Amino acid sequence: MEMLRERIKGLEKKIVEMIRNSQDNVAIAERLHRWTRALMITANPAELPQVLVQELKQQFMIPQAGIRVWGVDEPFKALAFAQGASDDARSLATSLPVPYCGANAGFEAARWLDEPATVASMAMVPLRHGAGTAAFGLLVVGSPDPTRYSADMGTDFLVRIGEIASAGLARLLPGP
C-alpha cells in the first residue's frame, strides 16, 4: 500500500510539472505573438531593426540586444544597423547552422550591445533566407548572468525568432 502511495505522489508531481510547463509555453507563445505583431505593423522598413530589438527586449525581458544587417538596399546603407559588421562577423553568422548560445568569448557581436563589458553569456542568431543560405545579418542577445544562455540549452525557440526576424528584415534587402 505504501508503495502505491509513493507512486501516486510521483505521478501527481509529474502532472503538476506538466501543468507548469504548459503555462510557461502559453506565456512564451503570447510574448512571441506580441513581438511578431509589432514587427508586422511596422510600416517603415527602416524602423524594423529598432522595433525588433526593443520589442524583443521588452517581451522577453532580455537585458541587452543588438542587430546588424548587411547587403541592405541603398536607402538603408547609412543607417546604424547596417554599420559595423566585419567580414569575420559575417563569416561567423553564415557558419552558424543553429543559434550560438554560450559564454561571451570576446565576440565582435558583443560590442554591438549597449554595455558589452557586462555580457557574460550571449546568444547569436543568424538571419538568413533559408537553411544553407548565407546569413544577411545577426541578432545578438546578451546577459550579465553567465547561465542565461548556455551551450546545453535548446535553440528551437531562437530558431523561430531568427526565422520571423529574417522574414521581416528581408524588406531591407534589394529586390530580386
Side-chain angles (χ1 to χ4, degrees):
M1 189 58 95
E2 187 63 32
M3 193 165 77
L4 187 56
R5 284 188 189 120
E6 288 299 317
R7 190 165 186 209
I8 290 171
K9 282 183 183 180
L11 291 173
E12 286 173 344
K13 284 182 182 180
K14 285 183 181 181
I15 290 171
V16 168
E17 184 178 331
M18 288 171 59
I19 291 170
R20 186 180 47 78
N21 286 338
S22 173
Q23 290 169 337
D24 289 347
N25 287 340
V26 168
I28 289 171
E30 207 35 56
R31 290 182 187 128
L32 183 62
H33 172 77
R34 287 191 301 265
W35 177 75
T36 302
R37 183 180 181 281
L39 294 181
M40 292 180 75
I41 64 173
T42 301
N44 182 351
E47 295 173 1
L48 269 173
Q50 181 180 358
V51 169
L52 185 150
V53 167
Q54 291 306 318
E55 286 293 319
L56 193 66
K57 287 167 61 175
Q58 180 180 341
Q59 295 299 329
F60 298 99
M61 296 164 279
I62 295 172
Q64 297 189 61
I67 193 166
R68 291 296 183 272
V69 183
W70 44 87
V72 297
D73 205 3
E74 195 61 41
F76 310 113
K77 286 186 177 180
L79 298 176
F81 62 81
Q83 307 300 313
S86 71
D87 289 341
D88 286 344
R90 295 172 189 207
S91 180
L92 172 66
T94 294
S95 74
L96 294 172
V98 296
Y100 165 86
C101 296
N104 176 9
F107 292 107
E108 172 187 326
R111 294 193 303 262
W112 304 344
L113 303 173
D114 292 335
E115 298 177 37
T118 66
V119 176
S121 67
M122 59 191 297
M124 295 184 288
V125 182
L127 304 172
R128 54 174 46 103
H129 291 298
T133 63
F136 66 83
L138 188 64
L139 174 64
V140 184
V141 295
S143 174
D145 177 355
T147 62
R148 171 100 187 238
Y149 305 105
S150 62
D152 63 345
M153 71 185 289
T155 59
D156 291 346
F157 178 68
L158 289 172
V159 167
R160 300 293 178 266
I161 291 283
E163 289 171 351
I164 294 167
S166 295
L169 293 168
R171 294 192 279 165
L172 301 171
L173 304 176

